[in-house]
């Protein structure tokens, strides 16, 4: 009989879970998410937790270490460590003078 | 219109508060508390609270990537009549908290408005008129919405939409366009030198006992 060596938290996907702090317009929220999800899922979760409504998801920009995270990419692709601080901010409207 | 004296009058003598001050004070307290809750996060990015005295909040923006890290600029957020009116952003001296003219400013708040792959087109968000008083020209800022060039873009088109115009939002924008792309000290002489590190010089004759 073949023995299965199951990792203790596999059945719950625990090893894929990532806990990060997302700062939404200056206010921090701790969010736990599966790293195999896309960045867009993290953005949506952060907006839900922070009750930031009234603007489309596409109007928000998520950054880690100054780098903009692309919504279509997987979170895992960015090697974000647990507890990292990410910054989610709303795109500003057109301003300045041309 | 009720005219009241501001509690914070280091740079102003009179404010024009016509919204119930209790309402404005509640929103001021809420947004200041949100900032303070993330104080350590802001500090790591060089965003430091200098003073909070209703209806004003003074914040300095430093560039921690550079050595020594400079205070790039400082602002006063004014909450008069917020949020029926948007917040005002006034650029101030970080040490005296007095308003400064554009000649004092070293940051232009440049924003890229061209798409990736297209020719690079930049726009400066720091603007001023004949009085040389600089302001941050962006929706969500009182000075923007009151400017004659933007009368078609009412604050009420932006208010309460995803947090646009809150102090947290404006801090993020000031940081994004004022600090994020800052890479070094530019020393201009016969040879331009761009470096993230400079050595501070001390006059030996002035070194105290």
């Amino acid at each position: 009989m073949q023995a299965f060596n199951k990792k203790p938290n596999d059945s719950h996907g625990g090893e894929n879970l990532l806990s990060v702090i997302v700062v939404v317009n200056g206010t921090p929220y701790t969010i736990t998410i599966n790293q195999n999800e896309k960045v867009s899922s993290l953005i949506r979760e952060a907006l839900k937790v922070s009750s930031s409504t009234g603007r489309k998801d596409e109007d928000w920009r998520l950054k880690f270490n100054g780098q903009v995270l692309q919504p279509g990419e997987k979170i895992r692709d960015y090697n974000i460590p647990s507890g990292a601080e990410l910054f989610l901010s709303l795109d500003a409207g057109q301003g300045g003078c041309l | 219109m009720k005219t009241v004296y501001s509690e914070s009058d280091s740079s102003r003598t009179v404010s024009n508060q016509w919204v119930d001050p209790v309402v404005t004070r509640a929103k001021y307290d809420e947004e200041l508390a949100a900032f303070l809750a993330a104080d350590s996060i802001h500090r790591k990015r060089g965003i430091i609270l200098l003073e909070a005295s209703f209806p004003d909040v003074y914040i300095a923006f430093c560039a921690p990537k550079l050595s020594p890290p400079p205070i790039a600029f400082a602002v006063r957020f004014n909450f008069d009549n917020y949020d029926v009116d948007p917040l005002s952003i006034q650029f101030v001296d970080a040490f005296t908290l007095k308003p400064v003219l554009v000649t004092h400013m070293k940051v232009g708040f440049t924003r890229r408005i061209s798409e990736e792959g297209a020719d690079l087109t930049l726009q400066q968000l720091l603007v001023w008129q004949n009085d040389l008083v600089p302001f941050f020209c962006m929706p969500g800022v009182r000075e923007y919405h009151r400017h004659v060039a933007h009368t078609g873009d009412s604050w009420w088109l932006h208010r309460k939409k995803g947090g646009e115009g809150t102090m947290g939002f404006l801090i993020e924008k000031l940081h994004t366009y004022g600090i994020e792309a800052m890479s070094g000290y530019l020393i201009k002489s016969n040879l331009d030198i761009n470096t993230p590190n400079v050595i501070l010089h001390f006059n030996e004759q002035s070194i105290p006992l």
Side-chain angles (χ1 to χ4, degrees), chain B residues 16-31 54-56 78-85 87 142:
Chain B
N16 292 300
Q17 180 75 19
W18 46 268
V19 169
D20 186 340
V22 170
V23 172
T24 299
R25 183 66 198 241
K27 292 180 185 283
Y28 172 94
D29 287 344
E30 181 185 358
E31 297 207 14
F54 181 74
D56 300 318
N78 170 258
F79 278 72
D80 281 351
N81 300 309
Y82 183 71
D83 61 353
V84 174
D85 268 351
L87 293 177
R142 193 186 307 164

Side-chain angles (χ1 to χ4, degrees), chain A residues 3-88:
Chain A
F4 288 96
N5 289 321
K6 230 180 184 186
K7 289 180 186 166
N9 53 5
D10 248 8
S11 59
H12 301 290
E15 65 176 12
N16 289 320
L17 290 182
L18 177 69
S19 187
V20 293
I21 299 169
V22 181
V23 183
V24 185
N25 278 339
T27 303
Y29 300 89
T30 300
I31 294 175
T32 302
I33 196 159
N34 190 314
Q35 293 196 71
N36 292 321
E37 298 267 7
K38 289 187 181 172
V39 169
S40 55
S41 298
L42 178 56
I43 291 174
R44 198 165 306 122
E45 184 62 24
L47 293 179
K48 183 175 134 193
V49 163
S50 62
S51 303
S52 297
T53 57
R55 295 287 292 267
K56 305 188 299 283
D57 289 4
E58 296 75 46
D59 291 341
W60 293 83
R61 206 176 293 257
L62 184 64
K63 290 184 186 174
F64 171 58
N65 275 350
Q67 179 188 12
V68 175
L69 308 189
Q70 297 302 319
E73 302 287 331
K74 283 190 181 172
I75 298 168
R76 176 182 293 285
D77 293 342
Y78 290 101
N79 293 316
I80 299 171
S82 180
E85 289 155 2
L86 288 73
F87 296 88
L88 182 62

